[in-house]
Amino acid sequence: MDFAITSGYVVPIDGDPIDGGTVLVQNGKIAAIGRDVAVPEGTPVVDAAGGWVLPGFVEAHGHLGVYEEAEGWAGQDTNEMTDPNGARLRALDAINPADLAFADALSGGVTTAVIKPGSGNPIGGQTVAIKCWGRSVDEMLVKEPTSVKSALGENPKRVYGDQKKLPSTRQGVAAVIRDAFMKAQDYKAKRAAAAEEGKPFDRDGTLEILVRVLDRELPWCQHTHRADDISTALRLADEFGYELIVNHGTEGHLLADTLAARDVPVIIGPLFTSRSKVELRQRSLRNPGILARAGVRLAITTDHPVVPIHFLVHQATLAVKEGLDPVEALRSITLNPARIMGIDDRVGALRPGLDADVVIWSGDPLDVMSRALRVFVSGREVYTYADGGAVVADPYYRESSER
């Protein structure tokens, strides 16, 4: 459906705000944005007067649909902890669009999420970017895979240490990753030789994906909290030449200059948690501001369900309270995560040609009293808040049902 959002305070993220601006949507895409946009005759108009109009937020690191809420064991598909190297595993294959978290995401203005396997394995699997509304994950798909998830530090050493097997130490975790990439290098060479000689070659799903990482087709999302583990992540990236993205980065502020100089982005968070383990001793809402001021490309994550997905913007708000620039705070949950995860050709800003993922807020989203009033995903209104109640469009019937 074509429509125009008019009279709002439009914040395109990659441009200056437009007071009294118009966003024209055609065929599920943003067709035009500005103060003097010509709205074709007969086009329905949504009056956003008094509200703020922003792109849908982007969660760069979550577990929606694979770690289902209120389901317990039955809905827990985040970690396949029977194999330290799960590169062949795909989060795509475990996402349930009926997870209650997707409705929560929309209520918090989150329209896109990068879903990642858990951090129980040294190599967890392939991540996927999806919209937060749809009947099936295939309909929700934005990009697959977006990266490969890996973990250093406490989680994998605890999981496999409890099983009395490799890896039970930080040395072992790094060794598993290093061994996997050496096998991938050998595999790539043998595959090339077989192709040159015209001989058949037995494919290996795990090594095929790791070769794509070596070829820099897929970035390496490295779960890492402590500064020493971040240093190990940098060392491994140097050894094998892949593109590194630091996930969590709790002590990233201690190496902010190094990360900035190397242009290694940090997806920081979750920020609302207690310091539940040694790795989190340095967790602070000041850290995003420190990283951003050092020039680090920054995204903020809830790591849902560790922090509920609809609190993404509130983490940004409290980071502003502790020193993060407000403009950078909004970028850290929109354009920055989209660019870091390679989906900024679809989402992350209000720009002609991008998907019409648009949210009308009652006021500045960084004000905790503001709420998302209307949420559009690819030009379809999927969430509405009015008269003290919220309605989420039912993707199965293309009608509205009360949530």
Side-chain angles (χ1 to χ4, degrees), residues 65-78 99-100 305:
V66 297
Y67 197 132
E68 297 178 55
E69 293 198 68
E71 293 292 344
W73 175 88
Q76 170 53 279
D77 290 301
T78 317
D99 183 5
L100 298 172

Side-chain angles (χ1 to χ4, degrees), residues 118-132:
S119 53
N121 295 333
I123 303 175
Q126 302 164 50
T127 76
V128 59
I130 61 172
K131 297 295 180 70
C132 292

Side-chain angles (χ1 to χ4, degrees), residues 131-359:
K131 297 295 180 70
C132 292
W133 187 88
R135 290 181 301 175
S136 70
V137 69
D138 304 278
E139 288 186 356
M140 300 158 73
L141 189 63
V142 175
K143 183 179 181 181
E144 194 278 326
T146 52
S147 65
V148 176
K149 172 75 178 294
S150 172
L152 293 170
E154 292 182 25
N155 288 11
K157 64 173 279 189
R158 181 186 68 250
V159 167
Y160 291 95
D162 287 348
Q163 299 178 31
K164 307 299 182 187
K165 59 192 283 189
L166 182 76
S168 63
T169 64
R170 280 179 163 81
Q171 299 174 75
V173 173
V176 167
I177 296 171
R178 189 174 284 112
D179 288 348
F181 277 118
M182 287 192 293
K183 289 179 181 177
Q185 288 174 327
D186 293 343
Y187 177 87
K188 180 181 177 180
K190 292 175 182 177
R191 187 182 66 181
E196 186 175 345
E197 297 171 9
K199 293 182 178 180
F201 184 76
D202 291 335
R203 293 184 299 165
D204 183 301
T206 296
L207 297 175
E208 288 280 346
I209 287 296
L210 293 179
V211 168
R212 294 184 64 185
V213 175
L214 290 173
D215 289 344
R216 298 181 69 87
E217 294 178 17
L218 294 172
W220 191 251
C221 278
Q222 188 70 73
H223 164 112
T224 177
H225 287 280
R226 273 180 14 187
D228 58 326
D229 290 325
I230 294 172
S231 294
T232 297
L234 293 169
R235 190 179 315 116
L236 287 165
D238 285 343
E239 287 180 40
F240 296 100
Y242 52 73
E243 178 186 349
L244 174 65
I245 300 171
V246 168
N247 286 233
H248 304 306
T250 300
E251 294 187 2
H253 62 291
L254 302 178
L255 298 172
D257 56 339
T258 300
L259 293 167
R262 296 178 57 136
D263 193 27
V264 173
V266 175
I267 300 171
I268 192 168
L271 299 171
F272 280 1
T273 62
S274 65
R275 298 178 181 90
S276 57
K277 54 184 178 179
V278 173
E279 291 179 330
L280 301 182
R281 284 183 173 180
Q282 295 264 8
R283 184 201 54 72
S284 170
L285 285 159
R286 296 189 302 272
N287 294 348
I290 296 170
L291 287 165
R293 288 191 295 274
V296 175
R297 287 189 289 148
L298 185 75
I300 291 176
T301 177
T302 62
D303 194 13
H304 176 91
V306 181
V307 169
I309 184 66
H310 47 305
F311 291 168
L312 178 62
V313 68
H314 300 326
Q315 291 192 136
T317 294
L318 292 191
V320 170
K321 181 181 178 182
E322 298 298 332
L324 180 63
D325 176 76
V327 173
E328 188 62 23
L330 286 177
R331 291 178 67 90
S332 73
I333 53 176
T334 53
L335 190 56
N336 285 4
R339 284 179 172 166
I340 289 169
M341 297 310 304
I343 53 175
D344 56 310
D345 61 331
R346 294 279 306 274
V347 300
L350 298 180
R351 185 192 317 135
L354 297 190
D355 293 357
D357 295 353
V358 188
V359 181

Side-chain angles (χ1 to χ4, degrees), residues 63-68 74-80 89-99 102 115-118 126 128 130 137 144:
H63 307 293
L64 293 77
V66 297
Y67 197 132
E68 297 178 55
Q76 170 53 279
D77 290 301
T78 317
N79 276 304
E80 178 63 55
L89 306 174
R90 304 191 307 170
L92 178 73
D93 296 326
I95 295 171
N96 181 4
D99 183 5
F102 287 111
I115 310 303
K116 298 178 178 177
Q126 302 164 50
V128 59
I130 61 172
V137 69
E144 194 278 326

